[in-house]
Amino acid sequence: MKPFYLTTPLYYVNAKPHIGHAYTNILCDTFARWRRFRGQKVHFLTGTDEHGTKIEKAARAEGKEPRQYVDGMVPQFESLWELLGIRYDDFIRTTEERHKQEVANVLRDLEARGEIYKAGYKGSYCTPCESFWTPLQLAEGKCPDCGREVQELAEENYFFRLSKYRDWLVSFIKDHPGFIRPEIRANEILGFLREPLEDLCITRPRARLAWGIDYPSSREHVVYVWFDALINYVSAVGCTTEEKKFKTYWPADIHVVGKDILRQHAVYWPIMLKALGLEMPRTILAHGWWTMAGAKVSKSRGNAVDPVELCKKYGVDAFRYFLLNEVTVGQDGAFSEDLLAERYTTDLANGLGNLWFRFASMLEKYFQKRIPQLAPEDLKEIKEAESTFYDLWQMVKQKMDQWDPRGALNIIWDVVTWCDGVIEDNKPWVLAKDPTKEKDLRKIMFILGENLAHVACLLQPFLPKTAEQILSRLGLKPPIRVENDGDFSKLFLLPDTLVERGGALFPRLDEEK
Ligand SMILES: [Zn+2]
């Protein structure tokens, strides 16, 4: 079986990482862990996009050389991924030699295929915005973005023949439902493709921008940053230099991107691959934005929420849980710390954390911390209930097949709620007082333990640390893989195993202070 190859966008290093970056990587990490949990080999690629005018400007603003600046920014991303438990297999920087060499090879190939031409370009240029505008776009002769004066500029640049592939791309998207997800985004791209496509200017004159990858056939030009960055998805797996590696991984199974960069990924990128004669990725998944007070969370709007601070306060798993559970992938989410604190208390501290505490405390009190032995007829009855675990597995699997971690978490939390109901309905503390009910007490505790073990098993891709804690405390050996349906529907617990209650999985927020 081909390894599951998934990618995050390359993050632009002109500012430190915020909650939007954290969300994308937590989503990808959950998908990657889910596949490993299913016994599949995974290749998880992330990295940083380090060229272009904005980086050059950000560097100059700090009195640094661009190289020195990007070298200082990249560790902030790496350390956040470490903190969040993001288990990637490769981290590519667009300033690495391996990438630059692949980009040059790709460009030579496209030139040889006649996909690139050189042309003069004339337009109105706004220097502060670094944007070219056509006469129609100008607002009363001024920059439509900032309202400042524009300069007339004529340049020669290299152009990629995007326009000739429009009809092909429209048919491809229509013939491959699920290529762009969610469907609403596929329709948006098809809507965009109703207008003619313009060829893509893929260079910048070196005189105007020095911080870029050299254009192979002209010393006067550097490569446009988007064109260079997209190539990372194939350059990282050795597209033009490592045939065997490339064949092992390509095509990517999924590119996860934010909806703001969907056009580059769902229009430019498929056409670049088509022009190169390469296979299409299987899925491009566009997620929504996190908003605060209705505005997109980003550094430039000054409303960034620091993921490091949130993790320190609530724990990494709680942060992961919130982002994965709060919105369905594709939709926008409203972030507020109050909401995070509320979910922490209701779902985690009072939900899963309290369930574990009650179970382990009762086990300690009634069975000297040991998983009880069951009477043969009870064991038979519980074994017959294995079909419930089978159903649970099918439901969670179906959600994950649809890239829906929120749906999966909802199903898992239904089990937590169900267990709370079992405790309330059967009142083990009453059973414990009546020696004739000992057999019932054993059965209830066994059922609770089994359900907790199955919940923890399912939570491994989502809340890795919490899942590992619960499984270890139950005397099981994480990681537990579920390669076949039967791996999940069996009973996990061994009677007489010593169970450790341990500290609170999710300490109450007031206690923590
Ligand atoms: Zn402007």
Side-chain angles (χ1 to χ4, degrees):
M1 201 180 188
K2 175 189 167 298
F4 181 82
Y5 179 28
L6 89 162
T7 69
T8 74
L10 291 195
Y11 301 113
Y12 205 54
V13 295
N14 64 331
K16 70 177 197 169
H18 55 66
I19 191 171
H21 302 105
Y23 176 60
T24 315
N25 267 28
I26 287 172
L27 208 53
C28 287
D29 183 65
T30 304
F31 295 148
R33 284 176 187 265
W34 174 262
R35 296 287 166 158
R36 290 190 206 106
F37 168 59
R38 303 296 323 278
Q40 198 173 350
K41 273 213 171 79
V42 171
H43 191 71
F44 174 4
L45 173 71
T46 189
T48 43
D49 181 5
E50 304 182 11
H51 291 116
T53 328
K54 282 187 187 143
I55 301 278
E56 199 173 41
K57 263 185 142 176
R60 302 286 176 225
E62 291 186 14
K64 289 177 179 163
E65 286 302 313
R67 178 83 223 185
Q68 186 192 6
Y69 173 83
V70 296
D71 285 349
M73 291 303 288
V74 170
Q76 298 194 35
F77 286 80
E78 288 170 325
S79 65
L80 179 61
W81 305 151
E82 199 184 332
L83 172 71
L84 294 174
I86 309 297
R87 268 184 59 197
Y88 50 82
D89 299 286
D90 192 6
F91 188 109
I92 190 165
R93 298 180 55 180
T94 56
T95 49
E96 282 177 72
E97 277 312 315
R98 61 165 170 159
H99 177 69
K100 291 196 236 177
Q101 193 193 337
E102 293 273 355
V103 169
N105 291 345
V106 162
L107 285 164
R108 283 189 201 103
D109 190 5
L110 288 173
E111 280 193 342
R113 289 166 183 263
E115 300 288 355
I116 289 175
Y117 61 92
K118 194 177 181 183
Y121 191 81
K122 240 165 71 182
S124 305
Y125 187 70
C126 174
T127 311
C129 295
E130 285 138 19
S131 301
F132 266 104
W133 303 108
T134 64
L136 273 176
Q137 289 171 316
L138 293 177
E140 293 171 359
K142 299 199 169 129
C143 171
D145 269 6
C146 70
R148 278 181 271 220
E149 293 290 338
V150 290
Q151 286 173 271
E152 290 309 303
L153 218 63
E155 300 181 341
E156 283 217 302
N157 271 309
Y158 290 85
F159 289 79
F160 172 56
R161 296 187 192 279
L162 209 61
S163 58
K164 75 174 195 191
Y165 289 104
R166 186 185 70 157
D167 293 347
W168 165 80
L169 184 59
V170 169
S171 311
F172 186 86
I173 294 170
K174 286 183 174 166
D175 292 345
H176 296 81
F179 175 60
I180 302 170
R181 283 171 180 262
E183 202 184 345
I184 181 180
R185 299 288 165 225
N187 293 335
E188 194 181 286
I189 293 295
L190 287 172
F192 170 73
L193 289 171
R194 259 178 234 127
E195 301 294 320
L197 265 182
E198 280 181 36
D199 288 342
L200 184 67
C201 179
I202 59 165
T203 56
R204 296 291 180 265
R206 191 182 294 280
R208 190 147 68 71
L209 171 70
W211 183 238
I213 293 181
D214 297 340
Y215 190 78
S217 54
S218 161
R219 301 181 65 178
E220 311 294 312
H221 293 89
V222 298
V223 181
Y224 170 46
V225 63
W226 259 112
F227 202 78
D228 126 42
L230 286 166
I231 293 172
N232 93 88
Y233 301 127
V234 292
S235 77
V237 288
C239 175
T240 66
T241 54
E242 294 173 85
E243 202 187 337
K244 197 171 159 233
K245 184 177 180 184
F246 188 65
K247 275 194 172 149
T248 306
Y249 296 113
W250 195 257
D253 291 273
I254 188 165
H255 294 313
V256 178
V257 302
K259 66 178 183 181
D260 50 331
I261 52 171
L262 180 62
R263 196 172 292 177
Q264 287 84 347
H265 284 85
V267 178
Y268 299 177
W269 180 232
I271 292 180
M272 287 161 72
L273 290 168
K274 174 74 180 165
L276 286 162
L278 298 175
E279 242 184 287
M280 293 301 126
R282 303 245 157 85
T283 298
I284 299 162
L285 177 69
H287 66 68
W289 285 342
W290 283 92
T291 59
M292 289 189 72
K296 182 190 170 196
V297 174
S298 72
K299 166 86 186 300
S300 57
R301 288 178 201 260
N303 58 1
V305 182
D306 189 352
V308 177
E309 292 305 316
L310 293 168
C311 286
K312 268 191 207 157
K313 200 162 164 190
Y314 299 92
V316 171
D317 276 5
F319 185 59
R320 288 176 69 113
Y321 174 79
F322 180 80
L323 294 182
L324 293 170
N325 187 57
E326 202 55 26
V327 294
T328 300
V329 175
Q331 292 171 356
D332 291 343
F335 184 87
S336 83
E337 198 182 330
D338 288 348
L339 201 56
L340 169 58
E342 193 186 314
R343 297 281 189 259
Y344 180 94
T345 300
T346 54
D347 299 1
L348 300 175
N350 295 347
L352 181 62
N354 190 48
L355 175 63
W356 170 259
F357 179 80
R358 290 175 93 185
F359 166 75
S361 304
M362 291 191 290
L363 203 65
E364 192 171 332
K365 213 164 160 188
Y366 310 139
F367 296 102
Q368 294 76 48
K369 305 185 181 181
R370 292 192 183 270
I371 304 287
Q373 288 279 3
L374 288 187
E377 66 272 24
D378 286 339
L379 190 62
K380 190 169 167 265
E381 191 188 320
I382 285 169
K383 274 200 176 287
E384 277 158 13
E386 282 174 1
S387 65
T388 328
F389 289 134
Y390 181 85
D391 293 345
L392 171 63
W393 172 243
Q394 294 303 327
M395 286 193 290
V396 171
K397 198 170 72 170
Q398 193 195 14
K399 292 294 177 194
M400 291 309 283
D401 286 345
Q402 294 163 357
W403 315 104
D404 181 10
R406 182 197 205 192
L409 284 169
N410 284 339
I411 291 165
I412 300 169
W413 247 259
D414 284 346
V415 182
V416 173
T417 311
W418 181 83
C419 288
D420 284 333
V422 168
I423 297 177
E424 291 314 313
D425 292 349
N426 293 281
K427 302 188 174 47
W429 50 92
V430 175
L431 299 177
K433 284 181 187 149
D434 182 349
T436 66
K437 300 277 187 209
E438 213 240 343
K439 198 162 97 64
D440 296 334
L441 184 60
R442 284 175 183 273
K443 192 169 138 188
I444 295 299
M445 292 306 292
F446 195 90
I447 289 172
L448 290 173
E450 269 304 337
N451 276 281
L452 271 163
H454 281 80
V455 161
C457 174
L458 287 175
L459 283 179
Q460 292 175 103
F462 307 89
L463 313 182
K465 211 178 133 205
T466 307
E468 196 189 312
Q469 274 179 321
I470 297 176
L471 292 171
S472 305
R473 288 174 184 188
L474 285 169
L476 298 164
K477 290 194 175 54
I480 296 179
R481 302 262 175 263
V482 177
E483 294 183 29
N484 307 299
D485 296 346
D487 295 343
F488 189 79
S489 47
K490 66 181 184 190
L491 298 181
F492 287 166
L493 297 182
L494 279 177
D496 217 32
T497 306
L498 191 68
V499 172
E500 284 303 327
R501 184 172 71 189
L505 292 172
F506 301 99
R508 286 183 206 288
L509 293 175
D510 41 0
E511 283 172 20
E512 215 175 13
K513 279 170 204 154

